[in-house]
Amino acid sequence: MKSWIVLAALLAAPAAHAVEYRTVLPAQSRIGFEFVQMGVKIPGSFKRFAAQMAFDPAKPESARATLEIDLASIDAGSPEANEESAGKLWFDRAAFPKARFDSTQVRALGDNRFELRGTLAIKGKRRELTIPVQLVPGKAAARFDGSFVLRRLDFGIGEGMWADVGTVANEVNVKFSIAASGK
């Protein structure tokens, strides 16, 4: 009889140690992108962002996340590109200094894979997104890795002479890895 109690306690132990990830670790996180300009792939990233989240892998439907990106922290491949991105034709950072994503729903897909739905706001325009995310558990923290294609013209990014998708492709591949702990 005691062996059944011990076995039941061992099987229940992982549930007792379930972690709800709430503390985002910016120094271990990354938000990058890649775009094509005149046939050349150019990588970039954003260095500063703020994120809040609450994610329990056992209850993904109750998860929520908010991400706010400081657009002035862009590294678009060169100082000239970084400066150009500030202007009205690109991000218009004087009027819209931040991009923001707010989750609306999380759905489990199995094998630590999830579908994150929400609204992305850039340059005063809002679009619904569905983003596949992979949870990579770790000892001290977990990573939430994902990627999606952003269509820049949907947000008015690269207007005027830059609206020609033969010069700068409309599709921007965004890739992120957000580290979080349960602390």
Side-chain angles (χ1 to χ4, degrees):
M1 176 97 157
K2 286 185 180 181
S3 63
W4 283 103
I5 294 170
V6 171
L7 181 60
L10 287 174
L11 291 174
H17 291 80
V19 174
E20 181 175 12
Y21 299 101
R22 292 188 156 274
T23 304
V24 174
L25 307 169
Q28 298 172 34
S29 301
R30 184 177 190 298
I31 300 172
F33 58 87
E34 182 178 81
F35 64 99
V36 176
Q37 183 171 345
M38 294 188 281
V40 178
K41 290 183 180 180
I42 301 175
S45 64
F46 290 98
K47 306 284 187 216
R48 291 185 306 272
F49 61 90
Q52 295 82 40
M53 71 181 308
F55 181 81
D56 180 346
K59 297 183 246 171
E61 64 282 351
S62 64
R64 62 188 183 284
T66 300
L67 176 69
E68 198 169 75
I69 298 170
D70 178 357
L71 296 175
S73 73
I74 194 170
D75 178 354
S78 71
E80 296 82 16
N82 297 345
E83 186 176 321
E84 180 74 24
S85 75
K88 288 185 179 189
L89 297 179
W90 288 94
F91 286 117
D92 192 5
R93 289 195 318 239
F96 306 100
K98 303 203 184 290
R100 183 179 173 103
F101 177 81
D102 291 297
S103 69
T104 56
Q105 180 184 31
V106 176
R107 185 170 67 103
L109 302 176
D111 296 326
N112 282 334
R113 295 176 308 116
F114 300 88
E115 182 180 84
L116 176 64
R117 291 178 185 239
T119 303
L120 178 62
I122 304 175
K123 203 173 172 183
K125 295 175 177 39
R126 300 170 58 83
R127 299 290 184 264
E128 298 298 316
L129 289 180
T130 300
I131 305 168
V133 177
Q134 177 77 43
L135 169 63
V136 182
K139 288 184 181 185
R143 282 192 345 259
F144 295 84
D145 296 338
S147 64
F148 63 94
V149 174
L150 179 138
R151 289 178 175 70
R152 67 180 181 85
L153 295 176
D154 288 351
F155 295 93
I157 301 169
E159 297 177 296
M161 68 183 202
W162 298 108
D164 175 10
V165 296
T167 303
V168 179
N170 190 32
E171 293 78 20
V172 177
N173 294 309
V174 178
K175 188 174 184 178
F176 60 88
S177 183
I178 305 295
S181 70
K183 297 179 183 178

